[in-house]
Amino acid sequence: MEKKDSSSSFTIGNSAQERSWPYVPDCYVIPSSNRPSLTPETASVPVIDFSRLRQDATQRANAIKEIGNACHQVGYFQIVNHGICQSILDGALSVASDFFKLPAEEKVKFMSNDVKKPVRYGTSLKDGDDKFQFWRVFLKHYAHPLSDWIHLWPKNPPHYRENMGKYCKEVMKLALEVMGAINESLGLGPSYLSNQMEDGMQVTAVNCYPPCPNPELTLGLPPHSDYTCLSIVLQNSAGLEVIDKRDGKWKLIPDVHGALQVHIGDHLEVLSNGLYKSVVHRAILNSERTRISIASLHSMGMDEKMGTAEELVDGQHPKKYKDSSFRDFLDFLCKNDIAEGKNFIDKLKIKA
């Protein structure tokens, strides 16, 4: 088989990861300085028992303090006892896996490079537009309000809409509760922006990372932060790495059965005026099994501008970020290559 170097050779439906190539083509190979370790260190992840938020005032206050510390120190945490039953989590992962096993002609019905489409199937980041290709296949769809979007989702596999819909509905409720707790930790109160978030966007990114013959040469996703207020991630196995802000090293998030991973996004960094920083993360690969992750991305409405809370701005703490919306991020994504290190949050920082 002749090796092809051009990214444009690996369009949706023809990518190396979809066709299970036995080697990593040159356009997937990232510079040696950015390559992952096959034996990464494990991250020390703050674990929040979410049931404590629903208990007495003392328990709630202690949990809020732990959430604030996690947001300030590392930008991520895991939540357990979150109230979403295991059967709903398993059901979502199961139909996600089944979708990616469908024949190509079923999946390409949703094929698109238009980042603004409410339902789209794709590979890598921007298909053949990427300088480097990434060993990922994905399905993204809007999910809130569910009744506005679910009829556009795949009909196959047969239980996709039902199982994924149940999960999206539950994780939306959880996200509102998490956002309220984070706002409370900032001193803004649990109802701050609650209406805007309740009427806001939920984008579900269903990711598939097939086995890779040389996982040390490439990535499933390059380093990036999410544009969101927050992202909630469900995964069937480990493969998510974060930058540990304390030592600058890449570390692997452990897979804890039933736990959900919460990431602080760019819009929450803006809201907090930099008190809480969005977390830079990436997806690594393995040679043995397919990894599935479902990221639920939460922000205000498409054109609603997120700005810094006035309560967090004063003479000693001037405003550090420009206001921006989800649409602003999509426009940025159309014009920039995240794989080259261009980050949305950098565009929002006000120069001193």
Side-chain angles (χ1 to χ4, degrees):
M1 190 184 292
E2 182 184 356
K3 292 192 179 185
K4 296 179 180 178
D5 294 333
S6 170
S7 274
S8 60
S9 301
F10 298 99
T11 53
I12 303 170
N14 293 305
S15 67
Q17 61 271 31
E18 289 171 289
R19 293 186 286 168
S20 302
W21 278 30
Y23 63 87
V24 174
D26 290 348
C27 62
Y28 286 77
V29 177
I30 60 175
S32 56
S33 58
N34 298 333
R35 290 177 194 168
S37 167
L38 292 180
T39 55
E41 290 184 49
T42 300
S44 175
V45 182
V47 177
I48 309 296
D49 181 347
F50 213 66
S51 66
R52 292 163 60 214
L53 286 170
R54 300 157 182 156
Q55 295 177 13
D56 61 54
T58 301
Q59 288 277 13
R60 180 177 172 84
N62 288 337
I64 295 289
K65 185 176 181 182
E66 289 174 18
I67 288 171
N69 288 340
C71 292
H72 178 68
Q73 292 169 10
V74 293
Y76 56 85
F77 52 92
Q78 285 182 338
I79 47 178
V80 296
N81 297 323
H82 42 65
I84 304 179
C85 66
Q86 191 63 45
S87 63
I88 290 179
L89 304 182
D90 293 342
L93 287 169
S94 176
V95 291
S97 179
D98 288 347
F99 172 81
F100 293 111
K101 292 174 185 173
L102 290 173
E105 56 267 24
E106 277 288 325
K107 293 178 285 191
V108 298
K109 292 175 184 176
F110 302 95
M111 182 173 70
S112 178
N113 279 331
D114 180 0
V115 299
K116 297 178 181 179
K117 280 199 77 168
V119 181
R120 67 188 183 101
Y121 171 78
T123 59
S124 190
L125 287 174
K126 293 186 199 171
D127 191 30
D129 294 340
D130 299 324
K131 180 179 178 182
F132 290 103
Q133 289 286 300
F134 295 94
W135 205 270
R136 173 180 82 137
V137 187
F138 66 86
L139 177 71
K140 288 187 179 179
H141 46 64
Y142 294 176
H144 181 75
L146 196 59
S147 58
D148 285 2
W149 306 111
I150 196 168
H151 66 284
L152 300 174
W153 294 5
K155 291 180 182 177
N156 288 316
H159 296 293
Y160 186 88
R161 292 180 179 179
E162 178 188 357
N163 288 13
M164 192 62 71
K166 282 181 183 176
Y167 174 71
C168 288
K169 199 169 182 180
E170 290 299 314
V171 84
M172 180 69 193
K173 288 191 289 188
L174 180 64
L176 294 174
E177 204 171 347
V178 174
M179 188 69 186
I182 291 172
N183 283 335
E184 195 169 342
S185 75
L186 284 167
L188 301 173
S191 60
Y192 188 86
L193 293 183
S194 60
N195 290 339
Q196 292 93 323
M197 291 300 294
E198 209 165 322
D199 296 335
M201 299 290 298
Q202 178 187 16
V203 180
T204 305
V206 186
N207 299 303
C208 174
Y209 303 98
C212 177
N214 298 104
E216 74 281 3
L217 296 181
T218 186
L219 290 167
L221 270 178
H224 67 286
S225 59
D226 294 334
Y227 68 89
T228 54
C229 291
L230 57 90
S231 304
I232 298 179
V233 181
L234 169 67
Q235 58 181 1
N236 70 348
S237 59
L240 174 66
E241 284 193 334
V242 293
I243 284 270
D244 190 326
K245 295 174 184 176
R246 293 162 290 198
D247 60 17
K249 292 181 180 178
W250 284 106
K251 294 181 182 176
L252 184 68
I253 298 291
D255 179 40
V256 177
H257 185 66
L260 293 168
Q261 177 79 10
V262 178
H263 287 169
I264 299 306
D266 294 342
H267 274 167
L268 193 52
E269 180 171 333
V270 169
L271 172 69
S272 72
N273 207 26
L275 288 172
Y276 298 167
K277 295 288 199 300
S278 57
V279 60
V280 177
H281 54 286
R282 68 183 185 181
I284 61 170
L285 304 160
N286 72 84
S287 60
E288 297 168 1
R289 65 189 178 278
T290 295
R291 176 175 171 262
I292 301 289
S293 75
I294 305 172
S296 188
L297 310 168
H298 299 269
S299 65
M300 297 198 305
M302 177 68 77
D303 294 302
E304 188 125 23
K305 299 279 188 180
M306 173 60 84
T308 299
E310 292 179 4
E311 295 87 338
L312 301 177
V313 177
D314 58 30
Q316 278 75 44
H317 307 92
K319 184 177 177 179
K320 297 177 181 177
Y321 304 88
K322 303 170 192 170
D323 296 359
S324 69
S325 65
F326 179 40
R327 192 181 301 278
D328 293 332
F329 168 73
L330 293 177
D331 291 340
F332 171 85
L333 194 59
C334 288
K335 298 170 187 172
N336 294 276
D337 188 350
I338 291 174
E340 293 183 344
K342 294 176 181 175
N343 294 314
F344 183 53
I345 192 67
D346 293 335
K347 291 288 229 180
L348 302 180
K349 291 176 180 174
I350 296 171
K351 294 178 182 176

